[in-house]
Amino acid sequence: MLIYLNGQFISKEDARISPFDHGFLYGIGLFETFRVYDGHPFLLDDHLERLNQGLAELSIQQQYTRKEIKNILQELLERNQLTNAYIRLNVSAGLGEVGLQVEPYLQPNLIIFPKPLPPAGELIEKKAVLLKVKRNSPEGNQRLKSHHYLNNVLAKREIGDFPDIEGIFLNEQGYLAEGIVSNLFWIKGNVLYSPSLHTGILNGITRQFVIQLGWENNLQIQEGLYSFEEALEADEMFVTNSIQEIVPITSFEGRNFPGKEGPWVQKFHQDYRQYCKNLWSRNSVRRE
């Protein structure tokens, strides 16, 4: 498999960065993960918007455009003979001396990792369990999709390597937060609920897309501070991320849900199929 590293397409076994990269030394780096569907990088504009905002916050003086990343992706996919793929776009701070740096980073490392994926389409159900590990608070004013992933690693170790289970964090105040690698939603009546960003969660790109779909489908949207007991009253529950899309939940702490039989899960899944091969931004979603 070939990856992209600072202007070159090289074998993943040959990839090298310096140990003086502050992404390695101090975790100063960001990444985005997204899917390519039949050659189209779904919601790329939204991913780049979040990435560029994070880079500015970390004083990494680099911004990326759709044209630039699209051209890299096209060649990367062609060289690897891929049309459907997992993409991780990673930006680390770049070289620095040992010690904390105040000055901006001027030469970050850009690495793009592809992995083959089968064509999407099937709803895959999971069970949700409440984690003992609490969601840590963000390092700054908001949670960035950064290299700081120990909290997630500890949570994953708690539940083990079971692909049909997603662990759900409570934050330090005891409110529902998010999954280990996902955002959490539930529906009761005509209301779509999701924990507020004030709980310290990552504002996932798929989360934002689903909220937009909710508006376009005339659902009321409620983002707030919720106990897990409140979520147990839901009609349907699901989690989201950019690789797994919409993941129906069949049970959570002893409460059963309809999973992939839920009508709203099915509707969002259908909407996903409609948009995934052509949409650049959630702002282009329009109800017919």
Side-chain angles (χ1 to χ4, degrees):
M1 185 66 64
L2 297 178
I3 70 169
Y4 175 89
L5 172 59
N6 294 335
Q8 295 183 305
F9 298 90
I10 61 175
S11 169
K12 64 180 184 179
E13 291 80 11
D14 295 331
R16 302 287 187 274
I17 61 171
S18 170
F20 288 94
D21 186 320
H22 277 204
F24 168 71
L25 288 176
Y26 301 110
I28 303 176
L30 301 170
F31 70 98
E32 295 287 330
T33 55
F34 52 91
R35 286 186 76 140
V36 170
Y37 297 85
D38 289 350
H40 176 72
F42 182 50
L43 298 179
L44 179 62
D45 288 359
D46 293 347
H47 283 282
L48 292 180
E49 179 183 20
R50 182 173 66 178
L51 175 68
N52 287 332
Q53 290 174 351
L55 293 174
E57 186 167 338
L58 293 180
S59 295
I60 298 175
Q61 293 194 348
Q62 181 66 51
Q63 299 282 282
Y64 297 97
T65 66
R66 179 207 291 186
K67 181 179 179 181
E68 175 185 7
I69 298 303
K70 178 185 174 184
N71 289 340
I72 294 171
L73 289 174
Q74 284 180 334
E75 185 166 354
L76 185 62
L77 292 169
E78 288 175 5
R79 286 173 177 256
N80 285 297
Q81 299 182 327
L82 297 174
T83 55
N84 295 283
Y86 163 110
I87 301 293
R88 173 171 166 141
L89 190 159
N90 200 98
V91 183
S92 61
L95 294 179
E97 297 297 327
V98 174
L100 301 182
Q101 179 171 317
V102 176
E103 296 79 13
Y105 295 95
L106 305 179
Q107 293 184 304
N109 289 307
L110 172 62
I111 311 173
I112 303 180
F113 308 83
K115 291 195 298 187
L117 285 178
E122 182 181 359
L123 280 168
I124 304 299
E125 297 174 320
K126 290 190 177 185
K127 302 173 184 177
V129 298
L130 205 59
L131 292 162
K132 296 177 182 177
V133 173
K134 296 296 187 289
R135 192 59 168 126
N136 62 352
S137 58
E139 291 85 5
N141 294 327
Q142 61 181 329
R143 188 172 300 280
L144 303 178
K145 197 170 179 70
S146 75
H147 291 184
H148 296 271
Y149 245 59
L150 180 59
N151 192 214
N152 305 68
V153 171
L154 294 176
K156 182 61 176 175
R157 289 177 179 174
E158 178 183 324
I159 66 170
D161 192 19
F162 296 99
D164 63 338
I165 297 177
E166 175 65 314
I168 304 298
F169 285 109
L170 298 176
N171 71 0
E172 294 168 346
Q173 289 73 44
Y175 295 113
L176 280 171
E178 58 189 340
I180 298 174
V181 291
S182 64
N183 287 119
L184 175 65
F185 288 92
W186 62 94
I187 294 176
K188 185 172 177 58
N190 199 43
V191 183
L192 176 65
Y193 293 90
S194 189
S196 165
L197 298 182
H198 294 297
T199 62
I201 64 174
L202 179 73
N203 191 11
I205 299 303
T206 306
R207 177 184 186 272
Q208 296 174 55
F209 176 59
V210 167
I211 288 173
Q212 184 67 33
L213 291 179
W215 284 119
E216 297 299 330
N217 283 286
N218 294 316
L219 286 171
Q220 299 178 44
I221 311 298
Q222 295 289 334
E223 301 175 66
L225 305 177
Y226 304 110
S227 67
F228 85 91
E229 290 90 352
E230 290 176 273
L232 297 183
E233 300 175 0
D235 301 324
E236 299 179 53
M237 182 177 289
F238 59 95
V239 295
T240 64
N241 71 26
S242 294
I243 305 302
Q244 301 177 54
E245 305 178 346
I246 310 294
V247 181
I249 296 300
T250 59
S251 67
F252 182 37
E253 294 300 309
R255 168 73 158 86
N256 292 327
F257 296 98
K260 64 183 180 182
E261 301 302 321
W264 279 110
V265 162
Q266 293 183 12
K267 180 64 175 74
F268 287 142
H269 179 66
Q270 292 168 5
D271 288 344
Y272 225 103
R273 302 279 66 77
Q274 174 186 348
Y275 289 115
C276 67
K277 296 181 182 180
N278 54 61
L279 203 68
W280 294 98
S281 171
R282 69 188 183 282
N283 296 323
S284 299
V285 171
R286 292 292 181 272
R287 186 173 66 247
E288 295 180 356

